Amino acid sequence: MAHTNDIILKTMTQLIAFILLGFSIYLFFAGHNAPGGGFIGGLMTAAAIILMYITYGYEKIEKILPINFTTMFVVGLGIATLAGLGSMVFGAPFLSQTFEYYNLPILGETELATALIFDLGVYLGVVGVTMTIILTIATDSSDEKDEEKAEA
């Protein structure tokens, strides 16, 4: 295997992944009052992680991010479902939301909404399912096995 000089790719990946993750967090928190939310934030996060997998390789990123993305999907789906059912506990229709303003130490007066809990579930679900699909396709070795059997 030839050694490639990919210092520019690795350097730019660090910068771009940082920007993508920062923007995904912004979209996540802006989502209940403006365009954005858990879905697009989750896609942006998945894009940053995929970029890191492409640049650094599967084995290296698996060591750095030992995350089971299938479990992340299930947890996200559970959080989103429980957020919807939580409103029913208080006699409101499924997926009803409420909000309140709180004075937080660093952020000052901040609106916190129950929609944020639902968005968290969607965010985790989207990252989990996107990464599961992409990594399953990327690591599928059945084509290689079929080619080896055909040659034999």
Side-chain angles (χ1 to χ4, degrees):
M1 182 170 155
H3 176 71
T4 59
N5 187 0
D6 52 3
I7 188 78
I8 295 173
L9 176 63
K10 289 182 178 180
T11 303
M12 291 307 295
T13 294
Q14 291 174 359
L15 176 65
I16 293 169
F18 179 76
I19 292 169
L20 284 173
L21 290 171
F23 191 55
S24 74
I25 292 169
Y26 165 76
L27 288 172
F28 172 74
F29 283 109
H32 62 280
N33 286 333
F39 185 79
I40 191 64
L43 286 177
M44 295 285 289
T45 300
I49 296 170
I50 290 167
L51 179 62
M52 290 188 286
Y53 270 103
I54 291 170
T55 302
Y56 295 104
Y58 182 81
E59 291 80 17
K60 191 173 220 177
I61 298 299
E62 280 296 308
K63 289 178 186 173
I64 296 169
L65 293 174
I67 298 171
N68 184 335
F69 291 107
T70 306
T71 303
M72 179 185 280
F73 167 69
V74 172
V75 168
L77 189 61
I79 290 172
T81 304
L82 290 175
L85 293 173
S87 60
M88 296 177 73
V89 171
F90 297 101
F94 182 71
L95 279 178
S96 295
Q97 68 115 12
T98 186
F99 65 93
E100 190 64 47
Y101 289 93
Y102 295 96
N103 194 1
L104 301 177
I106 295 173
L107 302 174
E109 187 174 359
T110 305
E111 175 189 352
L112 295 178
T114 56
L116 195 63
I117 299 168
F118 176 76
D119 273 345
L120 175 64
V122 171
Y123 179 89
L124 293 174
V126 168
V127 171
V129 77
T130 303
M131 293 305 302
T132 299
I133 291 170
I134 296 295
L135 292 177
T136 300
I137 292 169
T139 59
D140 184 23
S141 61
S142 64
D143 293 337
E144 295 171 13
K145 290 177 184 174
D146 292 340
E147 288 175 11
E148 291 174 8
K149 288 180 183 177
E151 291 175 4

